Amino acid sequence: MGLLAWHGLKMVLFCSIQYQMRTNGLTGCSVQNWDQMLLMVSRYLQKVIPASVWTSQVQRMVYVIDATNPQDGLRRIHKRVPGVQYFLEHHYGFFYVLTNAPLCETKFSCGDFYLARCRVEDIQSGNWQNIILPGEDISFKDMDIFNGHLVLFLDAKGFPMICSIDMPIDVNCKHQLEIDNLNPWFFPLPSNLCGIVPGSNHDFMNSVYRVVLSSPVMPDIIVDYDMSQQKLSIVNQEEVLGVSSNTGSCLPSYDPNMNKLLDAQNSSDKHLHNFEVQRWKDFSDAYCCERKEVVSHDGVRILLTILYSQEAWQKGQTPGLLHGYGAYGEALDKSWCADRLSLLDRGWVVAYADVRGGSGGSGSSWHKSGTGLNKPNSIHDFVSCGKYLVNEGYVHRDQLSAIGFSAGGLLVGAAINMYPDLFCAAILKVPFLDICNTLLDPSLPLTILDYEEFGNPQTKSQFESISSYSPYDNIPWGGCHPSMLITTSFHDSRVGVWEAAKWVAKVRDTTCLGCSRSVILKTNMSGGHFGEGGRFGQCEETAYEYAFLMKVMGVFDNK
């Protein structure tokens, strides 16, 4: 793979290199099987270019190269430390470093990210004079840098935020600062829960930052934020076809042309100011999106997003679908999806459980508390969210279903083994089910890297922990299982096709006769981990899954 970067009138080509590290077969020591060097090249004219060497999912070494004299090679910023990551941006003689390296003499939560600044010549000495903390109940997620502004992506108790700070930062104190000390402009966002995805912002000199906003009740909207004028402008919003009161379709008694006003000048929020009233469509009058905190088995509060139709939903009488993932620090995708309307307009509840192991809004500790020996927390969190939906009357107690993709299949599969009576149906998509045997085979592509996420079964304590929840190893003998749809792909390089096949075979062999007949294995003979792609292929896949759920629930109708 090659990456291109310009410096002056010259074009410098940097290449990424991938090489394999051998495992010591005599001692059995575990080392990274694959180590990838990826030079991340600046997209603007600078004299110093940061480069990153990814060694695993939680370890990173960062190098810099002088673009005026690349023959001098790479200079390492800091030695590799397990669990410590560095993200660098260069801005006119200064490095801005987003890192979770431990801070001395501070109450700042260990493992969470903060922003540091230092001069280029001081980067290797660790003499970082300005330490910028995110503030109480806020965590840094990412950053982007431009000629006149620094853009920071934040998370405040599970709600995404984004702000800009004028550059250069005119501070030269040795004390730690909080982000509010830098007079940030927080980008105005819709009042409902939304996700933020950066657009194509490749012009270093530009003061306008483009993002795509979306929420479960708001179609994707492209917004330009003028960081100099502190104003926003709506570029485009996705049209929802077929949603019109004139056609009598899925929005009864709702006018899709109704606009929601975002008027920050009348808002009491100190982060929203100096911009004009803007309009965009959302469907919150037709669909309700609630955010609840569910108490898990150990008292930890789990974020649960619940979506349902204002008109079709009936308390305690409707089916529900609970989504889960809970791995690699990844957040569930809760953005707008028109396919979802098919369920919502039939009265279904669609819910998303941000269990530990994924991204829950409390920094890196949320991920760590659902990994390794703590992985059972993710499963108990998911079960607690399912029980909440039933106990609070969102879903009929006999009509709760679950869905998980890849590592989310492990989550759902383990939850069903522990509480088979809680769910009446489940969909496992390219699921990671035979975790113990897979992690004992270092020749598989992701095994060594997954040691950091799930643990190494070659260690006794970790083997016992993995074995206690492994979906394949804990199928109850002679018990009942809910109806299940298992999908797998023959050319999946991440999760072997055999995992789903052998799991289905074992379920059919060990459970009662009625349950064994209700387990379906659907194999894609040409696709990979993410299927074949394409809009129509995705629609067909979703239609098949929804048809399965409706048949199991017995809720087919004429809609």
Side-chain angles (χ1 to χ4, degrees):
M1 175 181 178
L3 297 176
L4 298 175
W6 287 94
H7 177 69
L9 297 178
K10 297 180 180 180
M11 185 172 67
V12 183
L13 175 64
F14 297 88
C15 298
S16 63
I17 304 170
Q18 190 175 37
Y19 59 93
Q20 186 175 17
M21 298 179 65
R22 299 295 181 184
T23 302
N24 190 329
L26 297 178
T27 64
C29 294
S30 300
V31 297
Q32 285 90 354
N33 189 39
W34 289 97
D35 211 347
Q36 180 170 340
M37 178 181 292
L38 175 62
L39 304 185
M40 293 169 47
V41 183
S42 300
R43 61 181 176 279
Y44 46 84
L45 304 182
Q46 294 283 305
K47 292 184 178 180
V48 183
I49 296 178
S52 298
V53 177
W54 288 91
T55 61
S56 69
Q57 295 165 5
V58 297
Q59 298 184 56
R60 191 180 197 192
M61 288 189 296
V62 180
Y63 293 75
V64 294
I65 186 170
D66 187 346
T68 61
N69 189 17
Q71 289 80 11
D72 282 352
L74 298 169
R75 288 184 295 152
R76 190 176 70 176
I77 298 303
H78 199 279
K79 65 179 182 180
R80 180 169 56 183
V81 178
V84 175
Q85 300 184 52
Y86 298 89
F87 300 88
L88 265 68
E89 295 282 6
H90 179 245
H91 190 272
Y92 297 112
F94 285 92
F95 274 124
Y96 290 81
V97 187
L98 191 62
T99 180
N100 61 346
L103 282 174
C104 300
E105 301 178 0
T106 180
K107 296 181 180 179
F108 186 64
S109 177
C110 180
D112 288 341
F113 282 87
Y114 59 90
L115 184 64
R117 187 183 78 158
C118 68
R119 295 187 178 277
V120 169
E121 56 268 22
D122 296 331
I123 187 64
Q124 289 181 293
S125 67
N127 184 23
W128 300 345
Q129 294 185 352
N130 301 123
I131 304 296
I132 303 168
L133 304 180
E136 186 178 359
D137 296 326
I138 297 177
S139 59
F140 285 134
K141 293 298 182 182
D142 201 356
M143 68 174 175
D144 211 344
I145 202 163
F146 298 89
N147 180 61
H149 301 89
L150 172 67
V151 178
L152 294 173
F153 289 81
L154 311 156
D155 191 288
K157 294 184 177 180
F159 286 105
M161 302 171 64
I162 184 171
C163 72
S164 66
I165 298 171
D166 291 342
M167 297 288 283
I169 297 178
D170 189 19
V171 292
N172 194 26
C173 64
K174 296 184 179 181
H175 302 289
Q176 294 177 2
L177 303 171
E178 290 197 357
I179 190 171
D180 283 338
N181 300 129
L182 302 176
N183 192 29
W185 178 53
F186 284 82
F187 293 4
L189 300 171
S191 58
N192 49 20
L193 181 66
C194 74
I196 306 171
V197 178
S200 299
N201 300 288
H202 300 304
D203 186 356
F204 176 69
M205 304 304 295
N206 198 358
S207 63
V208 176
Y209 196 78
R210 175 167 292 184
V211 301
V212 180
L213 306 178
S214 182
S215 85
V217 294
M218 185 185 73
D220 290 3
I221 177 172
I222 301 174
V223 183
D224 281 348
Y225 291 94
D226 189 327
M227 297 178 286
S228 297
Q229 300 295 323
Q230 295 192 353
K231 294 182 179 180
L232 67 87
S233 61
I234 295 175
V235 179
N236 183 54
Q237 184 168 19
E238 177 187 339
E239 291 291 334
V240 182
L241 301 178
V243 182
S244 172
S245 58
N246 296 327
T247 61
S249 58
C250 59
L251 285 184
S253 70
Y254 177 71
D255 181 1
N257 295 317
M258 182 181 296
N259 292 323
K260 294 297 177 184
L261 301 183
L262 182 66
D263 188 352
Q265 295 174 346
N266 297 327
S267 174
S268 59
D269 192 332
K270 65 179 180 178
H271 295 148
L272 304 180
H273 56 84
N274 295 338
F275 72 102
E276 300 175 353
V277 174
Q278 292 289 327
R279 299 172 181 267
W280 47 56
K281 297 177 185 177
D282 75 34
F283 300 108
S284 57
D285 284 2
Y287 302 103
C288 183
C289 182
E290 298 181 2
R291 180 177 179 266
K292 301 293 184 179
E293 290 186 341
V294 178
V295 179
S296 190
H297 69 291
D298 55 358
V300 175
R301 295 184 179 273
I302 312 302
L303 296 179
L304 178 65
T305 303
I306 306 172
L307 183 64
Y308 58 89
S309 168
Q310 298 273 26
E311 182 170 312
W313 174 73
Q314 297 179 3
K315 185 173 183 179
Q317 301 298 317
T318 54
L321 178 62
L322 179 60
H323 292 252
Y325 187 73
Y328 306 108
E330 295 292 333
L332 281 171
D333 181 13
K334 308 181 193 74
S335 59
W336 171 264
C337 178
D339 295 343
R340 196 186 292 133
L341 301 181
S342 178
L343 292 181
L344 297 177
D345 292 329
R346 289 177 167 87
W348 284 63
V349 170
V350 180
Y352 300 85
D354 288 311
V355 303
R356 280 172 283 185
S359 176
S362 60
S364 59
S365 60
W366 191 261
H367 172 223
K368 293 179 180 178
S369 59
T371 62
L373 297 177
N374 296 320
K375 186 60 185 175
N377 286 336
S378 304
I379 304 164
H380 289 295
D381 293 350
F382 190 75
V383 170
S384 297
C385 289
K387 291 181 177 179
Y388 180 89
L389 291 173
V390 172
N391 295 336
E392 295 300 317
Y394 285 98
V395 177
H396 189 283
R397 64 174 56 254
D398 296 325
Q399 292 187 323
L400 176 63
S401 58
I403 185 170
F405 174 85
S406 191
L410 183 153
L411 175 73
V412 176
I416 288 174
N417 284 343
M418 294 181 182
Y419 297 89
D421 296 333
L422 180 60
F423 304 94
C424 74
I427 299 176
L428 308 183
K429 306 178 65 173
V430 289
F432 186 26
L433 296 169
D434 190 15
I435 177 174
C436 196
N437 284 320
T438 295
L439 294 182
L440 285 170
D441 185 355
S443 67
L444 296 175
L446 298 182
T447 292
I448 305 300
L449 293 178
D450 276 341
Y451 286 167
E452 295 169 351
E453 185 68 26
F454 302 103
N456 185 351
Q458 297 180 40
T459 302
K460 182 180 179 181
S461 61
Q462 296 179 29
F463 174 82
E464 292 174 348
S465 175
I466 294 170
S467 298
S468 69
Y469 65 81
S470 170
Y472 180 77
D473 297 303
N474 290 278
I475 299 172
W477 183 269
C480 289
H481 248 53
S483 299
M484 308 195 70
L485 170 63
I486 319 298
T487 67
T488 185
S489 294
F490 187 78
H491 296 288
D492 191 338
S493 60
R494 300 193 181 195
V495 179
V497 64
W498 56 85
E499 294 211 19
K502 64 188 294 188
W503 187 84
V504 168
K506 188 172 183 180
V507 170
R508 290 173 175 172
D509 186 53
T510 59
T511 58
C512 68
L513 182 61
C515 294
S516 66
R517 292 173 178 172
S518 62
V519 179
I520 301 172
L521 176 63
K522 184 173 183 284
T523 305
N524 185 327
M525 299 303 295
S526 57
H529 191 65
F530 298 98
E532 294 184 70
R535 177 185 176 187
F536 295 107
Q538 183 180 7
C539 289
E540 290 178 0
E541 181 180 333
T542 303
Y544 190 96
E545 294 166 2
Y546 286 1
F548 166 79
L549 292 174
M550 292 177 192
K551 182 174 178 60
V552 171
M553 302 292 182
V555 292
F556 274 118
D557 54 26
N558 295 324
K559 293 185 180 181

